[in-house]
Amino acid sequence: MYRKKGITVAASVAFIAMLGTGFALKDSLFPAYAEMSDVDVNLTSTSIESTIVNRELVKKLVGMSYYENQIPIQFSNIGLSDSSVNLYTLYWTLDIMDQLGQPLPVSELEKFTQDLNISKKTESIPEVMRNNYQAGIANRLELGDSDKGKYVDELMGHYDDVDHLFYFSSKDEDVTGKLSTTLEVISTLKTMGIPLDKKQEIVDKCLQLYNNDENFPEHKPIESMGKGAVLISILKELGYTASDFKGQLVDRSNWLTELNQNPTGYIHPSDMSAILYVHEMITVNEFFGTSYQVPKAMLDDSLRNSSYDKDGKEFIVEPLIVSKAMAVYKKFDYPFPFLDQVKAYVKDMSSTGYNKNGVVSENMRENYYGIALAKKFGYAFDEKAMTHFLENTYQTQVEENSSISGYNKLDNIYCLVLSYQAMGMELKDTSIISQAVVRYLQDYDVVDPTKYGESLNTFDTGFKILSLLHEKIPTDLNKKTVELIESLDNDQQIYNTMKVNKVYNLINCVGYENQHSKEIISKVMETLNKLKIEGAYKSKVAADLPDIVSTCEAVQVLKSRNQFNDVQRQEVREYLKSIFPSSDSTDSNSNATTWPNLMQLYYECLLSSY
């Protein structure tokens, strides 16, 4: 829901990655199209079993996977990959909620208690910022002195006794990084009501730096912000003003006048950090007891240009920036121009566990699963933006360059076609795709024994695309498919894995009936029996546990042969009940460390309908 965009070093401390002879082909049995399966891949007409699938929970999980305010719009597993709250998101969103007059009740905040455990580590946020966020959030829970002391001890572990400043990750950091970290830590300790033992040392250090002209370079406003403005903010946060240091301070009136009268030097239209600089300058002027004002139009333009996407359609909420911006507007007595967008952001964060972070990359398969689930369960998303993304993908991957050079692009095209159908969109020219797929399959080498697995996936996916487009399979590809099937049969390794379901699918595409085909299908069914475990199915004989995708693939084969009976159906449903998350699984105090990803949710819903 938010994007890192041009944050400076000084500000960044508050912010913080995939033809055989055995087959007698019969023309009369050739399917008219590449008919892979009767499965409703888009879930549109699928009847979901409500005793297994909690509709509201699925909607919530889909919402957690939905990243709307970025380019491109995406559904992604990232939002489901960790059940832990994102401390950065929670910390700054709580501040936004306070400014909106909608503070989060303590009873709701208590759900995140385990995430505030000082011993809990996270790779995504450096230690000092993690501790800072934990302390700031935990302070809202009315902690006792002993509990507060745990956070203070951790924060003080980042104090440099030589430089008399706090450091971000290393004592070797330059003064700019240390000043920013010091300001953050002091602010948190002040909020917690904790006296700072090192206060005088820090004050003396800041006075020393204040009187060094190198930290107040003329005509270099951005550099001045990272040093001079921050150290003045530290002194102000410690409770001082310039009048407390009469006779001890070098005259900085020229420096201050330049910054106050020329805000364009640090308020750039596309720089997200600009609002942070204004926030600093408010504090600086309070320290000196001088007046400071920035025109509302300038603030509006800066925030709009730095926070909207490149098309000017989506307002991207970076919670730190928005929190500071709201404080700035309030200080100047200006109405905040983006309240609706911020309220929508808070609502989204509240409903999805405050776990979203950063920008997700394009992943056509994950995005397709998200679309299909959202459409099925009535999760509202920006369909106009999604349509734009899919149309743009069609243009770049089909119209401008239809050539398929590997399996990844083939799979992307497959998921693109699925997504178009799930969205109810119409492809402009299906012949471009079908011709590209046919050319790729015709040129593909199916006799290389080192590529049997890839060959099987390639033909299975290629034929699925042709099936979705209602395109016939050329005769030469039928023969090539037979060659591949026979090679896999001779190799025998396929009969130890669930990939036999793809062999079965290909057999149904090429059309034949003879003794050899019956023998292969018999081996497929024997393999399914070997892979069955606890009423479900595993991916290979060597695997210890069943999985949702293998189970679905096995059931699809059984259903196509009318061999999926009521006993098997009940076994599968019991398996689903054992793995599908309960309605409490998205609470932060749940024992779960991860939630089902989009693919698992998709197949769980599909299986529940059988």
Side-chain angles (χ1 to χ4, degrees):
M1 280 283 170
Y2 31 90
R3 170 179 57 185
K4 306 280 186 294
K5 183 177 177 181
I7 305 300
T8 64
V9 174
S12 66
V13 295
F15 284 84
I16 300 285
M18 176 182 61
L19 166 20
T21 56
F23 292 89
L25 299 175
K26 295 190 175 182
D27 292 339
S28 62
L29 294 177
F30 272 49
Y33 307 103
E35 297 174 352
M36 300 302 299
S37 168
D38 62 355
V39 173
D40 177 12
V41 291
N42 291 320
L43 303 178
T44 50
S45 61
T46 301
S47 178
I48 304 297
E49 177 51 58
S50 59
T51 61
I52 298 172
V53 180
N54 183 312
R55 298 182 67 90
E56 291 306 311
L57 176 59
V58 173
K59 285 178 66 175
K60 182 172 183 176
L61 293 175
V62 171
M64 293 169 65
S65 75
Y66 178 48
Y67 287 75
E68 176 179 18
N69 292 326
Q70 66 161 61
I71 296 296
I73 184 175
Q74 286 283 288
F75 286 97
S76 170
N77 285 331
I78 298 299
L80 301 173
S81 61
D82 189 352
S83 62
S84 300
V85 66
N86 183 278
L87 293 171
Y88 162 83
T89 300
L90 179 58
Y91 181 90
W92 290 110
T93 303
L94 288 173
D95 192 74
I96 291 172
M97 294 170 75
D98 288 344
Q99 295 190 65
L100 289 172
Q102 303 171 358
L104 187 69
V106 172
S107 59
E108 287 295 311
L109 192 58
E110 287 175 343
K111 294 180 179 180
F112 305 109
T113 301
Q114 73 170 15
D115 295 292
L116 303 180
N117 188 331
I118 202 68
S119 64
K120 184 170 183 176
K121 308 297 182 184
T122 176
E123 303 250 340
S124 61
I125 302 177
E127 183 179 31
V128 68
M129 293 313 300
R130 173 177 57 81
N131 296 338
N132 202 50
Y133 293 148
Q134 287 177 320
I137 297 167
N139 186 58
R140 296 168 176 264
L141 297 176
E142 301 177 1
L143 299 177
D145 290 341
S146 61
D147 291 322
K148 290 182 179 181
K150 297 176 184 177
Y151 296 105
V152 174
D153 290 344
E154 290 289 327
L155 291 171
M156 293 305 299
H158 282 262
Y159 185 72
D160 186 342
D161 285 310
V162 176
D163 270 355
H164 306 306
L165 296 171
F166 289 89
Y167 60 88
F168 188 58
S169 57
S170 169
K171 291 183 178 182
D172 296 330
E173 291 168 1
D174 63 20
V175 68
T176 302
K178 287 183 177 180
L179 285 171
S180 294
T181 305
T182 300
L183 179 58
E184 293 291 334
V185 173
I186 289 175
S187 178
T188 296
L189 294 177
K190 180 180 178 181
T191 301
M192 297 179 72
I194 300 293
L196 181 60
D197 293 340
K198 306 292 185 179
K199 177 177 178 178
Q200 192 56 50
E201 290 182 3
I202 295 173
V203 170
D204 292 342
K205 179 67 175 184
C206 287
L207 290 177
Q208 176 191 339
L209 293 172
Y210 180 96
N211 290 324
N212 186 339
D213 291 342
E214 291 182 359
N215 297 315
F216 294 85
E218 293 185 9
H219 312 305
K220 294 182 179 180
I222 300 299
E223 188 175 342
S224 292
M225 290 294 174
K227 294 180 180 179
V230 177
L231 69 88
I232 290 174
S233 296
I234 292 172
L235 292 172
K236 180 68 169 60
E237 194 70 13
L238 289 172
Y240 298 102
T241 64
S243 62
D244 295 313
F245 303 106
K246 290 182 179 180
Q248 301 180 57
L249 302 179
V250 170
D251 184 8
R252 298 295 178 196
S253 57
N254 290 339
W255 171 83
L256 181 62
T257 299
E258 180 185 3
L259 292 177
N260 283 351
Q261 293 182 356
N262 300 288
T264 54
Y266 50 89
I267 303 178
H268 298 158
S270 59
D271 185 2
M272 188 178 283
S273 299
I275 201 70
L276 301 180
Y277 300 145
V278 175
H279 192 272
E280 282 185 0
M281 287 305 299
I282 290 174
T283 302
V284 167
N285 279 276
E286 289 176 345
F287 177 81
F288 287 110
T290 51
S291 61
Y292 174 66
Q293 195 83 11
V294 175
K296 182 177 183 297
M298 184 179 291
L299 293 177
D300 290 349
D301 288 344
S302 176
L303 194 57
R304 181 182 299 106
N305 291 332
S306 64
S307 298
Y308 269 89
D309 62 47
K310 62 183 180 182
D311 294 326
K313 297 178 180 178
E314 299 295 339
F315 185 84
I316 300 165
V317 174
E318 182 67 69
L320 164 64
I321 301 298
V322 168
S323 172
K324 297 294 187 183
M326 292 176 69
V328 166
Y329 275 76
K330 182 177 181 180
K331 193 69 177 180
F332 290 148
D333 199 25
Y334 296 153
F336 189 70
F338 306 109
L339 274 181
D340 289 343
Q341 294 91 328
V342 173
K343 289 178 180 178
Y345 163 83
V346 169
K347 181 179 179 181
D348 183 44
M349 290 299 103
S350 301
S351 66
T352 57
Y354 306 92
N355 78 316
K356 291 182 178 179
N357 184 35
V359 175
V360 298
S361 302
E362 291 182 36
N363 186 306
M364 293 301 298
R365 182 166 285 274
E366 290 178 13
N367 191 56
Y368 161 67
Y369 291 138
I371 292 172
L373 289 164
K375 297 287 280 187
K376 179 62 180 178
F377 290 91
Y379 176 80
F381 63 101
D382 190 337
E383 297 194 27
K384 183 176 180 180
M386 185 63 72
T387 297
H388 176 74
F389 163 64
L390 295 176
E391 289 176 340
N392 184 65
T393 302
Y394 175 84
Q395 179 181 340
T396 57
Q397 295 208 19
V398 177
E399 289 185 330
E400 295 177 1
N401 181 20
S402 64
S403 176
I404 299 174
S405 56
Y407 182 75
N408 284 341
K409 179 162 184 181
L410 184 72
D411 189 62
N412 280 342
I413 295 298
Y414 174 49
C415 294
L416 177 63
V417 175
L418 286 172
S419 299
Y420 258 74
Q421 293 193 358
M423 290 289 293
M425 298 166 58
E426 185 175 343
L427 290 161
K428 288 191 291 186
D429 188 350
T430 61
S431 65
I432 300 177
I433 296 177
S434 61
Q435 290 170 12
V437 170
V438 168
R439 283 195 301 269
Y440 182 61
L441 297 182
Q442 287 173 331
D443 294 339
Y444 199 88
D445 179 11
V446 298
V447 298
D448 184 351
T450 66
K451 296 172 59 178
Y452 281 159
E454 180 183 311
S455 300
L456 184 58
N457 288 336
T458 296
F459 273 72
D460 180 66
T461 301
F463 285 172
K464 284 177 179 176
I465 295 173
L466 296 179
S467 176
L468 290 170
L469 300 179
H470 302 290
E471 295 286 349
K472 295 179 180 180
I473 300 175
T475 301
D476 62 332
L477 284 185
N478 278 291
K479 294 179 179 180
K480 200 167 189 176
T481 304
V482 171
E483 185 177 4
L484 172 60
I485 294 172
E486 185 166 89
S487 297
L488 290 165
D489 179 52
N490 290 334
D491 181 68
Q492 293 291 306
Q493 293 301 311
I494 193 71
Y495 298 119
N496 290 315
T497 74
M498 186 52 73
K499 286 185 178 295
V500 292
N501 86 298
K502 292 182 171 60
V503 172
Y504 181 82
N505 287 342
L506 293 184
I507 286 174
N508 284 335
C509 280
V510 298
Y512 66 90
E513 58 178 30
N514 64 9
Q515 188 59 36
H516 195 183
S517 68
K518 293 178 181 179
E519 291 173 0
I520 291 181
I521 291 177
S522 178
K523 292 177 185 178
V524 168
M525 304 310 293
E526 290 173 4
T527 300
L528 295 188
N529 288 332
K530 289 193 297 182
L531 297 176
K532 188 173 183 180
I533 177 173
E534 300 175 1
Y537 294 83
K538 52 187 181 179
S539 62
K540 56 186 176 181
V541 172
D544 294 325
L545 298 172
D547 66 85
I548 189 72
V549 177
S550 298
T551 300
C552 192
E553 291 174 336
V555 170
Q556 288 170 358
V557 173
L558 293 171
K559 279 178 61 66
S560 73
R561 296 183 61 76
N562 295 318
Q563 294 181 21
F564 186 58
N565 57 41
D566 290 341
V567 173
Q568 292 168 312
R569 179 176 292 105
Q570 186 58 36
E571 289 177 338
V572 168
R573 292 188 172 184
E574 290 301 318
Y575 167 66
L576 289 177
K577 289 178 181 179
S578 72
I579 65 171
F580 203 82
S582 71
S583 58
D584 298 322
S585 293
T586 56
D587 288 345
S588 183
N589 57 1
S590 167
N591 291 326
T593 56
T594 60
W595 298 305
N597 62 37
L598 290 167
M599 179 181 70
Q600 292 168 331
L601 281 173
Y602 173 88
Y603 278 102
E604 283 164 346
C605 293
L606 199 58
L607 259 179
S608 77
S609 69
Y610 291 158

